[in-house]
Amino acid sequence: MGQEISEFGKVFLFLAVGVIFVVLGFVTSRLIRPHRPYTEKLTTYECGEEPKGSAWVQFNIRFYVVALIFIIFDVEVLFLYPWATIFKQVGGYALAVALVFLGVLTLGLIYEWKKGYINWVVPTPNIPKMPTKKFEKPKSLEKPKVAEPETTA
Amino acid sequence: MTDLLQLPLLLSLTLGERLALMGVVLFVLLTSVAYTVYAERKIAAAIQNRIGPNRVGFDLIPQLGFLKGLAGLGQPIADVLKLLFKEDVVPSASNGFYHLLAPMISLFAALTTIAVVPVAAGLVIADVDIGVLYILAITSLGVYGLTLAGWASNSKYSLLGGLRSSAQMISYEIAMGLSVVSVVVIADSLSMTKIVESQTANPLYWNCFRNFLGFICFVVASFAECNRAPFDLPEAEQELVGGYNTEYGSMKFALFFLAEYANMIVASTVIATLFLGGYQVPFWSDAPWWLQVGAFVTKTLFMMFVFIWVRWTIPRFKYNQLMDLGWRKLLPLALFNLLLIAMGVLIFEA
């Protein structure tokens, strides 16, 4: 038992204790809580209306764009950590390198800015114009004109 | 190793003792989470000129009868019991497994972060060499819990809440990461203990003064990471009902609730460690360990008070304002601050 546990081992142990806590909570709750489901209770909440369709739908592409930009920037930030730990030893040269690196990062940011990817509200949506033909009502749908009652003076 | 001698508790622990100690730490943490909720309600009441919870005491326990109805101190316990007794409703349209997994992920992500935060010199659950990276990594795992909850519930409100929170958290994470890099530049190390030591006992050397812009960036970003007001859009109740936890009740909701407040506590401890000198007692570099714990707890409580204070003072952002602030203001500011700090370090220390 005198064996040393590595630091990440301790983290893992801590996580394990956390899991035990949560599982105990769930088991206790399971034992004492009621369980009386019925169809209406198990419907999805939609302000009391009948739920319309599933929520597993395609959503706005903007969320993907934000996620993609995040990945690019996050990896770049990650590259800065090793640089930061040896910054004091290397000194001026490290600063020059960082200037170039951060310069590229800033360029990327400016590019995304100008392209409007980090602009959540697009002021004028660019919807391509479709050739539109004036819609004419078929004759058959038109109501027969009711002759206005003639007013005779 | 003199400070280790003052801590005979931690010298040699068997596995069982270590587990018991961790259990105690977790119990204390979860209890303080429950009482943070109470504190928030009390402070909110004070800010809004109300009384707040003042009914629930310890009436059932005769020995604690003198606490009867005292300032509502029994409220957190009553809340926990209520949630334990609630029926667990899993909507038939949802994905049951992920519905259960999501709150667990967010709670574990919140709890495991605290393991690397040093409470006093040498008093830390796990002194990981790359503590800062570990914290960033684990806190970003919390996004999975919220997104998964939003998706698994199969409810439109949940989906929107989950999407919003994930977009928000990743937007602010970059500014957060960059301000942490500036701290690492000053401290020369990724270890939390070394970062605290680099700030010394002189308050003027604490990072909140040496690295003021970074401090501001980090605090704002951690407000957003914790989904706290003014960035609480994922659960904006006026438009999204409950956000990602619309379909949650009972223990699962309790886990989300615990995770949210645990996140706030953890963020406060991290801010205290990185920017407010951690366990350093002002002007006393080799203070006894209990005083260091006291200093650490005081700083953490102060940050938690700021969290609550801001929530009940500042109105919520619009979503586009939130994205704007994250990408167009905080991110350039953090980049600028990093260069500033790097130059400052070169001028003053080389």
Side-chain angles (χ1 to χ4, degrees), chain A residues 102-134:
Chain A
L102 291 180
V104 174
L105 231 149
T106 317
L107 271 183
L109 184 65
I110 292 171
Y111 177 77
E112 275 142 15
W113 196 318
K114 289 289 170 218
K115 275 276 181 183
Y117 290 137
I118 52 178
N119 192 0
W120 201 258
V121 176
V122 183
T124 45
N126 183 17
I127 302 167
K129 277 238 167 100
M130 300 292 281
T132 46
K133 207 178 156 189
K134 214 169 186 188

PDB file of all heavy atoms in Angstrom, chain A residues 102-134:
ATOM      1  N   LEU A 102       1.383  35.411 -33.911  1.00  0.00           N
ATOM      2  CA  LEU A 102       0.164  36.131 -33.554  1.00  0.00           C
ATOM      3  C   LEU A 102      -0.302  37.001 -34.719  1.00  0.00           C
ATOM      4  O   LEU A 102      -1.504  37.227 -34.891  1.00  0.00           O
ATOM      5  CB  LEU A 102       0.388  36.989 -32.309  1.00  0.00           C
ATOM      6  CG  LEU A 102       0.579  36.208 -31.015  1.00  0.00           C
ATOM      7  CD1 LEU A 102       0.804  37.156 -29.854  1.00  0.00           C
ATOM      8  CD2 LEU A 102      -0.641  35.343 -30.721  1.00  0.00           C
ATOM      9  N   GLY A 103       0.663  37.476 -35.523  1.00  0.00           N
ATOM     10  CA  GLY A 103       0.292  38.248 -36.702  1.00  0.00           C
ATOM     11  C   GLY A 103      -0.563  37.425 -37.647  1.00  0.00           C
ATOM     12  O   GLY A 103      -1.603  37.879 -38.121  1.00  0.00           O
ATOM     13  N   VAL A 104      -0.138  36.186 -37.887  1.00  0.00           N
ATOM     14  CA  VAL A 104      -0.921  35.298 -38.748  1.00  0.00           C
ATOM     15  C   VAL A 104      -2.304  35.065 -38.142  1.00  0.00           C
ATOM     16  O   VAL A 104      -3.329  35.103 -38.827  1.00  0.00           O
ATOM     17  CB  VAL A 104      -0.172  33.958 -38.956  1.00  0.00           C
ATOM     18  CG1 VAL A 104      -1.038  32.987 -39.719  1.00  0.00           C
ATOM     19  CG2 VAL A 104       1.133  34.195 -39.676  1.00  0.00           C
ATOM     20  N   LEU A 105      -2.306  34.858 -36.815  1.00  0.00           N
ATOM     21  CA  LEU A 105      -3.582  34.630 -36.113  1.00  0.00           C
ATOM     22  C   LEU A 105      -4.502  35.829 -36.291  1.00  0.00           C
ATOM     23  O   LEU A 105      -5.692  35.683 -36.589  1.00  0.00           O
ATOM     24  CB  LEU A 105      -3.285  34.449 -34.625  1.00  0.00           C
ATOM     25  CG  LEU A 105      -3.862  33.241 -33.916  1.00  0.00           C
ATOM     26  CD1 LEU A 105      -2.925  32.837 -32.808  1.00  0.00           C
ATOM     27  CD2 LEU A 105      -5.198  33.541 -33.344  1.00  0.00           C
ATOM     28  N   THR A 106      -3.925  37.029 -36.120  1.00  0.00           N
ATOM     29  CA  THR A 106      -4.735  38.242 -36.259  1.00  0.00           C
ATOM     30  C   THR A 106      -5.251  38.386 -37.681  1.00  0.00           C
ATOM     31  O   THR A 106      -6.398  38.775 -37.902  1.00  0.00           O
ATOM     32  CB  THR A 106      -3.914  39.477 -35.870  1.00  0.00           C
ATOM     33  OG1 THR A 106      -3.171  39.158 -34.688  1.00  0.00           O
ATOM     34  CG2 THR A 106      -4.796  40.659 -35.602  1.00  0.00           C
ATOM     35  N   LEU A 107      -4.369  38.060 -38.657  1.00  0.00           N
ATOM     36  CA  LEU A 107      -4.807  38.107 -40.056  1.00  0.00           C
ATOM     37  C   LEU A 107      -6.016  37.213 -40.262  1.00  0.00           C
ATOM     38  O   LEU A 107      -6.989  37.601 -40.915  1.00  0.00           O
ATOM     39  CB  LEU A 107      -3.673  37.663 -40.985  1.00  0.00           C
ATOM     40  CG  LEU A 107      -2.735  38.760 -41.471  1.00  0.00           C
ATOM     41  CD1 LEU A 107      -1.720  38.180 -42.431  1.00  0.00           C
ATOM     42  CD2 LEU A 107      -3.557  39.835 -42.166  1.00  0.00           C
ATOM     43  N   GLY A 108      -5.935  36.000 -39.690  1.00  0.00           N
ATOM     44  CA  GLY A 108      -7.063  35.079 -39.802  1.00  0.00           C
ATOM     45  C   GLY A 108      -8.324  35.676 -39.214  1.00  0.00           C
ATOM     46  O   GLY A 108      -9.413  35.585 -39.791  1.00  0.00           O
ATOM     47  N   LEU A 109      -8.156  36.324 -38.039  1.00  0.00           N
ATOM     48  CA  LEU A 109      -9.312  36.934 -37.387  1.00  0.00           C
ATOM     49  C   LEU A 109      -9.901  38.029 -38.271  1.00  0.00           C
ATOM     50  O   LEU A 109     -11.123  38.104 -38.469  1.00  0.00           O
ATOM     51  CB  LEU A 109      -8.885  37.511 -36.045  1.00  0.00           C
ATOM     52  CG  LEU A 109     -10.017  38.098 -35.193  1.00  0.00           C
ATOM     53  CD1 LEU A 109     -10.976  37.010 -34.785  1.00  0.00           C
ATOM     54  CD2 LEU A 109      -9.469  38.798 -33.972  1.00  0.00           C
ATOM     55  N   ILE A 110      -9.004  38.862 -38.839  1.00  0.00           N
ATOM     56  CA  ILE A 110      -9.490  39.956 -39.697  1.00  0.00           C
ATOM     57  C   ILE A 110     -10.224  39.379 -40.910  1.00  0.00           C
ATOM     58  O   ILE A 110     -11.283  39.865 -41.310  1.00  0.00           O
ATOM     59  CB  ILE A 110      -8.308  40.852 -40.132  1.00  0.00           C
ATOM     60  CG1 ILE A 110      -7.759  41.607 -38.928  1.00  0.00           C
ATOM     61  CG2 ILE A 110      -8.728  41.827 -41.212  1.00  0.00           C
ATOM     62  CD1 ILE A 110      -6.477  42.333 -39.183  1.00  0.00           C
ATOM     63  N   TYR A 111      -9.662  38.313 -41.477  1.00  0.00           N
ATOM     64  CA  TYR A 111     -10.295  37.679 -42.636  1.00  0.00           C
ATOM     65  C   TYR A 111     -11.715  37.236 -42.298  1.00  0.00           C
ATOM     66  O   TYR A 111     -12.669  37.537 -43.031  1.00  0.00           O
ATOM     67  CB  TYR A 111      -9.450  36.483 -43.086  1.00  0.00           C
ATOM     68  CG  TYR A 111     -10.051  35.712 -44.228  1.00  0.00           C
ATOM     69  CD1 TYR A 111      -9.977  36.192 -45.532  1.00  0.00           C
ATOM     70  CD2 TYR A 111     -10.704  34.506 -44.008  1.00  0.00           C
ATOM     71  CE1 TYR A 111     -10.530  35.497 -46.578  1.00  0.00           C
ATOM     72  CE2 TYR A 111     -11.260  33.798 -45.046  1.00  0.00           C
ATOM     73  CZ  TYR A 111     -11.175  34.292 -46.329  1.00  0.00           C
ATOM     74  OH  TYR A 111     -11.732  33.603 -47.359  1.00  0.00           O
ATOM     75  N   GLU A 112     -11.834  36.525 -41.138  1.00  0.00           N
ATOM     76  CA  GLU A 112     -13.167  36.045 -40.759  1.00  0.00           C
ATOM     77  C   GLU A 112     -14.107  37.200 -40.478  1.00  0.00           C
ATOM     78  O   GLU A 112     -15.293  37.149 -40.780  1.00  0.00           O
ATOM     79  CB  GLU A 112     -13.059  35.128 -39.542  1.00  0.00           C
ATOM     80  CG  GLU A 112     -12.735  33.714 -39.930  1.00  0.00           C
ATOM     81  CD  GLU A 112     -11.800  33.054 -38.965  1.00  0.00           C
ATOM     82  OE1 GLU A 112     -11.620  33.575 -37.859  1.00  0.00           O
ATOM     83  OE2 GLU A 112     -11.232  32.012 -39.323  1.00  0.00           O
ATOM     84  N   TRP A 113     -13.547  38.237 -39.885  1.00  0.00           N
ATOM     85  CA  TRP A 113     -14.336  39.427 -39.574  1.00  0.00           C
ATOM     86  C   TRP A 113     -14.913  40.012 -40.859  1.00  0.00           C
ATOM     87  O   TRP A 113     -16.103  40.271 -40.984  1.00  0.00           O
ATOM     88  CB  TRP A 113     -13.417  40.436 -38.882  1.00  0.00           C
ATOM     89  CG  TRP A 113     -14.115  41.535 -38.155  1.00  0.00           C
ATOM     90  CD1 TRP A 113     -15.204  42.228 -38.579  1.00  0.00           C
ATOM     91  CD2 TRP A 113     -13.759  42.061 -36.885  1.00  0.00           C
ATOM     92  NE1 TRP A 113     -15.543  43.155 -37.650  1.00  0.00           N
ATOM     93  CE2 TRP A 113     -14.678  43.087 -36.593  1.00  0.00           C
ATOM     94  CE3 TRP A 113     -12.745  41.783 -35.962  1.00  0.00           C
ATOM     95  CZ2 TRP A 113     -14.605  43.829 -35.422  1.00  0.00           C
ATOM     96  CZ3 TRP A 113     -12.680  42.529 -34.816  1.00  0.00           C
ATOM     97  CH2 TRP A 113     -13.606  43.525 -34.547  1.00  0.00           C
ATOM     98  N   LYS A 114     -14.000  40.216 -41.862  1.00  0.00           N
ATOM     99  CA  LYS A 114     -14.435  40.844 -43.110  1.00  0.00           C
ATOM    100  C   LYS A 114     -15.410  39.947 -43.870  1.00  0.00           C
ATOM    101  O   LYS A 114     -16.324  40.417 -44.533  1.00  0.00           O
ATOM    102  CB  LYS A 114     -13.215  41.143 -43.995  1.00  0.00           C
ATOM    103  CG  LYS A 114     -12.360  42.262 -43.476  1.00  0.00           C
ATOM    104  CD  LYS A 114     -13.065  43.615 -43.636  1.00  0.00           C
ATOM    105  CE  LYS A 114     -12.298  44.690 -42.874  1.00  0.00           C
ATOM    106  NZ  LYS A 114     -13.166  45.663 -42.233  1.00  0.00           N
ATOM    107  N   LYS A 115     -15.181  38.637 -43.770  1.00  0.00           N
ATOM    108  CA  LYS A 115     -16.070  37.705 -44.468  1.00  0.00           C
ATOM    109  C   LYS A 115     -17.433  37.614 -43.804  1.00  0.00           C
ATOM    110  O   LYS A 115     -18.361  37.037 -44.352  1.00  0.00           O
ATOM    111  CB  LYS A 115     -15.428  36.306 -44.496  1.00  0.00           C
ATOM    112  CG  LYS A 115     -14.469  36.116 -45.647  1.00  0.00           C
ATOM    113  CD  LYS A 115     -15.235  35.717 -46.893  1.00  0.00           C
ATOM    114  CE  LYS A 115     -14.268  35.493 -48.046  1.00  0.00           C
ATOM    115  NZ  LYS A 115     -15.009  35.167 -49.277  1.00  0.00           N
ATOM    116  N   GLY A 116     -17.515  38.143 -42.565  1.00  0.00           N
ATOM    117  CA  GLY A 116     -18.793  38.144 -41.863  1.00  0.00           C
ATOM    118  C   GLY A 116     -19.115  36.836 -41.162  1.00  0.00           C
ATOM    119  O   GLY A 116     -20.267  36.599 -40.827  1.00  0.00           O
ATOM    120  N   TYR A 117     -18.087  35.989 -40.928  1.00  0.00           N
ATOM    121  CA  TYR A 117     -18.389  34.715 -40.267  1.00  0.00           C
ATOM    122  C   TYR A 117     -18.630  34.881 -38.784  1.00  0.00           C
ATOM    123  O   TYR A 117     -19.268  34.044 -38.162  1.00  0.00           O
ATOM    124  CB  TYR A 117     -17.235  33.724 -40.476  1.00  0.00           C
ATOM    125  CG  TYR A 117     -17.130  33.237 -41.890  1.00  0.00           C
ATOM    126  CD1 TYR A 117     -15.908  33.142 -42.515  1.00  0.00           C
ATOM    127  CD2 TYR A 117     -18.271  32.876 -42.591  1.00  0.00           C
ATOM    128  CE1 TYR A 117     -15.804  32.706 -43.815  1.00  0.00           C
ATOM    129  CE2 TYR A 117     -18.182  32.447 -43.893  1.00  0.00           C
ATOM    130  CZ  TYR A 117     -16.950  32.365 -44.495  1.00  0.00           C
ATOM    131  OH  TYR A 117     -16.863  31.936 -45.771  1.00  0.00           O
ATOM    132  N   ILE A 118     -18.041  35.937 -38.179  1.00  0.00           N
ATOM    133  CA  ILE A 118     -18.262  36.110 -36.750  1.00  0.00           C
ATOM    134  C   ILE A 118     -19.312  37.179 -36.512  1.00  0.00           C
ATOM    135  O   ILE A 118     -19.444  37.693 -35.425  1.00  0.00           O
ATOM    136  CB  ILE A 118     -16.944  36.441 -36.014  1.00  0.00           C
ATOM    137  CG1 ILE A 118     -16.249  37.601 -36.688  1.00  0.00           C
ATOM    138  CG2 ILE A 118     -16.060  35.242 -35.930  1.00  0.00           C
ATOM    139  CD1 ILE A 118     -14.988  38.002 -35.979  1.00  0.00           C
ATOM    140  N   ASN A 119     -20.047  37.482 -37.564  1.00  0.00           N
ATOM    141  CA  ASN A 119     -21.107  38.459 -37.457  1.00  0.00           C
ATOM    142  C   ASN A 119     -22.419  37.709 -37.339  1.00  0.00           C
ATOM    143  O   ASN A 119     -22.867  37.097 -38.299  1.00  0.00           O
ATOM    144  CB  ASN A 119     -21.093  39.340 -38.713  1.00  0.00           C
ATOM    145  CG  ASN A 119     -21.970  40.539 -38.551  1.00  0.00           C
ATOM    146  OD1 ASN A 119     -22.598  40.715 -37.509  1.00  0.00           O
ATOM    147  ND2 ASN A 119     -22.026  41.353 -39.578  1.00  0.00           N
ATOM    148  N   TRP A 120     -22.990  37.699 -36.139  1.00  0.00           N
ATOM    149  CA  TRP A 120     -24.140  36.822 -35.939  1.00  0.00           C
ATOM    150  C   TRP A 120     -25.366  37.318 -36.681  1.00  0.00           C
ATOM    151  O   TRP A 120     -26.134  36.564 -37.242  1.00  0.00           O
ATOM    152  CB  TRP A 120     -24.439  36.678 -34.444  1.00  0.00           C
ATOM    153  CG  TRP A 120     -25.228  35.454 -34.181  1.00  0.00           C
ATOM    154  CD1 TRP A 120     -26.557  35.388 -33.948  1.00  0.00           C
ATOM    155  CD2 TRP A 120     -24.743  34.120 -34.162  1.00  0.00           C
ATOM    156  NE1 TRP A 120     -26.944  34.090 -33.782  1.00  0.00           N
ATOM    157  CE2 TRP A 120     -25.841  33.292 -33.904  1.00  0.00           C
ATOM    158  CE3 TRP A 120     -23.503  33.529 -34.335  1.00  0.00           C
ATOM    159  CZ2 TRP A 120     -25.740  31.916 -33.820  1.00  0.00           C
ATOM    160  CZ3 TRP A 120     -23.401  32.167 -34.244  1.00  0.00           C
ATOM    161  CH2 TRP A 120     -24.509  31.386 -33.992  1.00  0.00           C
ATOM    162  N   VAL A 121     -25.564  38.624 -36.693  1.00  0.00           N
ATOM    163  CA  VAL A 121     -26.721  39.176 -37.401  1.00  0.00           C
ATOM    164  C   VAL A 121     -26.245  39.697 -38.738  1.00  0.00           C
ATOM    165  O   VAL A 121     -25.420  40.604 -38.804  1.00  0.00           O
ATOM    166  CB  VAL A 121     -27.359  40.311 -36.588  1.00  0.00           C
ATOM    167  CG1 VAL A 121     -28.490  40.926 -37.379  1.00  0.00           C
ATOM    168  CG2 VAL A 121     -27.865  39.794 -35.277  1.00  0.00           C
ATOM    169  N   VAL A 122     -26.707  39.122 -39.805  1.00  0.00           N
ATOM    170  CA  VAL A 122     -26.356  39.609 -41.126  1.00  0.00           C
ATOM    171  C   VAL A 122     -27.394  40.661 -41.498  1.00  0.00           C
ATOM    172  O   VAL A 122     -28.580  40.358 -41.578  1.00  0.00           O
ATOM    173  CB  VAL A 122     -26.355  38.467 -42.147  1.00  0.00           C
ATOM    174  CG1 VAL A 122     -25.926  38.966 -43.497  1.00  0.00           C
ATOM    175  CG2 VAL A 122     -25.441  37.366 -41.674  1.00  0.00           C
ATOM    176  N   PRO A 123     -26.947  41.922 -41.712  1.00  0.00           N
ATOM    177  CA  PRO A 123     -27.919  42.992 -41.915  1.00  0.00           C
ATOM    178  C   PRO A 123     -28.790  42.772 -43.140  1.00  0.00           C
ATOM    179  O   PRO A 123     -30.007  42.886 -43.085  1.00  0.00           O
ATOM    180  CB  PRO A 123     -27.068  44.245 -42.054  1.00  0.00           C
ATOM    181  CG  PRO A 123     -25.661  43.842 -41.942  1.00  0.00           C
ATOM    182  CD  PRO A 123     -25.567  42.380 -41.719  1.00  0.00           C
ATOM    183  N   THR A 124     -28.166  42.470 -44.285  1.00  0.00           N
ATOM    184  CA  THR A 124     -28.971  42.245 -45.477  1.00  0.00           C
ATOM    185  C   THR A 124     -28.686  40.841 -45.979  1.00  0.00           C
ATOM    186  O   THR A 124     -27.626  40.587 -46.531  1.00  0.00           O
ATOM    187  CB  THR A 124     -28.622  43.246 -46.577  1.00  0.00           C
ATOM    188  OG1 THR A 124     -27.198  43.332 -46.645  1.00  0.00           O
ATOM    189  CG2 THR A 124     -29.230  44.594 -46.306  1.00  0.00           C
ATOM    190  N   PRO A 125     -29.586  39.924 -45.760  1.00  0.00           N
ATOM    191  CA  PRO A 125     -29.365  38.567 -46.242  1.00  0.00           C
ATOM    192  C   PRO A 125     -29.271  38.553 -47.771  1.00  0.00           C
ATOM    193  O   PRO A 125     -30.058  39.200 -48.456  1.00  0.00           O
ATOM    194  CB  PRO A 125     -30.595  37.808 -45.739  1.00  0.00           C
ATOM    195  CG  PRO A 125     -31.614  38.850 -45.479  1.00  0.00           C
ATOM    196  CD  PRO A 125     -30.887  40.087 -45.103  1.00  0.00           C
ATOM    197  N   ASN A 126     -28.277  37.859 -48.265  1.00  0.00           N
ATOM    198  CA  ASN A 126     -28.042  37.840 -49.700  1.00  0.00           C
ATOM    199  C   ASN A 126     -28.801  36.672 -50.304  1.00  0.00           C
ATOM    200  O   ASN A 126     -28.261  35.592 -50.503  1.00  0.00           O
ATOM    201  CB  ASN A 126     -26.538  37.731 -49.968  1.00  0.00           C
ATOM    202  CG  ASN A 126     -26.234  37.789 -51.434  1.00  0.00           C
ATOM    203  OD1 ASN A 126     -27.069  38.204 -52.218  1.00  0.00           O
ATOM    204  ND2 ASN A 126     -25.041  37.362 -51.799  1.00  0.00           N
ATOM    205  N   ILE A 127     -30.047  36.878 -50.590  1.00  0.00           N
ATOM    206  CA  ILE A 127     -30.867  35.815 -51.175  1.00  0.00           C
ATOM    207  C   ILE A 127     -30.854  35.989 -52.688  1.00  0.00           C
ATOM    208  O   ILE A 127     -31.239  37.054 -53.194  1.00  0.00           O
ATOM    209  CB  ILE A 127     -32.302  35.881 -50.638  1.00  0.00           C
ATOM    210  CG1 ILE A 127     -32.279  35.752 -49.111  1.00  0.00           C
ATOM    211  CG2 ILE A 127     -33.162  34.796 -51.249  1.00  0.00           C
ATOM    212  CD1 ILE A 127     -33.581  36.100 -48.463  1.00  0.00           C
ATOM    213  N   PRO A 128     -30.386  34.997 -53.420  1.00  0.00           N
ATOM    214  CA  PRO A 128     -30.353  35.135 -54.867  1.00  0.00           C
ATOM    215  C   PRO A 128     -31.764  35.314 -55.429  1.00  0.00           C
ATOM    216  O   PRO A 128     -32.701  34.651 -54.999  1.00  0.00           O
ATOM    217  CB  PRO A 128     -29.722  33.826 -55.337  1.00  0.00           C
ATOM    218  CG  PRO A 128     -29.873  32.893 -54.214  1.00  0.00           C
ATOM    219  CD  PRO A 128     -29.881  33.700 -52.965  1.00  0.00           C
ATOM    220  N   LYS A 129     -31.873  36.235 -56.369  1.00  0.00           N
ATOM    221  CA  LYS A 129     -33.197  36.511 -56.943  1.00  0.00           C
ATOM    222  C   LYS A 129     -33.572  35.425 -57.948  1.00  0.00           C
ATOM    223  O   LYS A 129     -32.780  35.068 -58.820  1.00  0.00           O
ATOM    224  CB  LYS A 129     -33.156  37.867 -57.647  1.00  0.00           C
ATOM    225  CG  LYS A 129     -33.353  39.025 -56.684  1.00  0.00           C
ATOM    226  CD  LYS A 129     -34.567  39.859 -57.111  1.00  0.00           C
ATOM    227  CE  LYS A 129     -34.972  40.815 -56.014  1.00  0.00           C
ATOM    228  NZ  LYS A 129     -34.463  42.164 -56.266  1.00  0.00           N
ATOM    229  N   MET A 130     -34.727  34.888 -57.823  1.00  0.00           N
ATOM    230  CA  MET A 130     -35.196  33.900 -58.788  1.00  0.00           C
ATOM    231  C   MET A 130     -36.026  34.629 -59.847  1.00  0.00           C
ATOM    232  O   MET A 130     -36.708  35.606 -59.542  1.00  0.00           O
ATOM    233  CB  MET A 130     -36.078  32.868 -58.078  1.00  0.00           C
ATOM    234  CG  MET A 130     -35.384  32.113 -56.986  1.00  0.00           C
ATOM    235  SD  MET A 130     -34.115  31.035 -57.606  1.00  0.00           S
ATOM    236  CE  MET A 130     -35.102  29.676 -58.189  1.00  0.00           C
ATOM    237  N   PRO A 131     -35.942  34.143 -61.077  1.00  0.00           N
ATOM    238  CA  PRO A 131     -36.806  34.748 -62.094  1.00  0.00           C
ATOM    239  C   PRO A 131     -38.266  34.458 -61.734  1.00  0.00           C
ATOM    240  O   PRO A 131     -38.661  33.299 -61.572  1.00  0.00           O
ATOM    241  CB  PRO A 131     -36.406  34.043 -63.381  1.00  0.00           C
ATOM    242  CG  PRO A 131     -35.713  32.807 -62.954  1.00  0.00           C
ATOM    243  CD  PRO A 131     -35.107  33.082 -61.625  1.00  0.00           C
ATOM    244  N   THR A 132     -39.000  35.484 -61.526  1.00  0.00           N
ATOM    245  CA  THR A 132     -40.383  35.265 -61.096  1.00  0.00           C
ATOM    246  C   THR A 132     -41.342  35.624 -62.223  1.00  0.00           C
ATOM    247  O   THR A 132     -41.147  36.571 -62.967  1.00  0.00           O
ATOM    248  CB  THR A 132     -40.709  36.142 -59.880  1.00  0.00           C
ATOM    249  OG1 THR A 132     -40.237  37.452 -60.150  1.00  0.00           O
ATOM    250  CG2 THR A 132     -40.068  35.609 -58.627  1.00  0.00           C
ATOM    251  N   LYS A 133     -42.314  34.805 -62.334  1.00  0.00           N
ATOM    252  CA  LYS A 133     -43.332  35.045 -63.343  1.00  0.00           C
ATOM    253  C   LYS A 133     -44.607  35.381 -62.595  1.00  0.00           C
ATOM    254  O   LYS A 133     -44.885  34.793 -61.550  1.00  0.00           O
ATOM    255  CB  LYS A 133     -43.532  33.764 -64.157  1.00  0.00           C
ATOM    256  CG  LYS A 133     -44.028  34.012 -65.569  1.00  0.00           C
ATOM    257  CD  LYS A 133     -44.127  32.676 -66.279  1.00  0.00           C
ATOM    258  CE  LYS A 133     -45.122  32.737 -67.407  1.00  0.00           C
ATOM    259  NZ  LYS A 133     -45.383  31.420 -67.958  1.00  0.00           N
ATOM    260  N   LYS A 134     -45.279  36.322 -63.092  1.00  0.00           N
ATOM    261  CA  LYS A 134     -46.468  36.721 -62.362  1.00  0.00           C
ATOM    262  C   LYS A 134     -47.482  35.592 -62.362  1.00  0.00           C
ATOM    263  O   LYS A 134     -47.732  34.942 -63.375  1.00  0.00           O
ATOM    264  CB  LYS A 134     -47.081  37.966 -62.988  1.00  0.00           C
ATOM    265  CG  LYS A 134     -47.695  38.820 -61.901  1.00  0.00           C
ATOM    266  CD  LYS A 134     -48.084  40.175 -62.393  1.00  0.00           C
ATOM    267  CE  LYS A 134     -48.540  41.000 -61.209  1.00  0.00           C
ATOM    268  NZ  LYS A 134     -49.114  42.259 -61.629  1.00  0.00           N
TER     269      LYS A 134
END
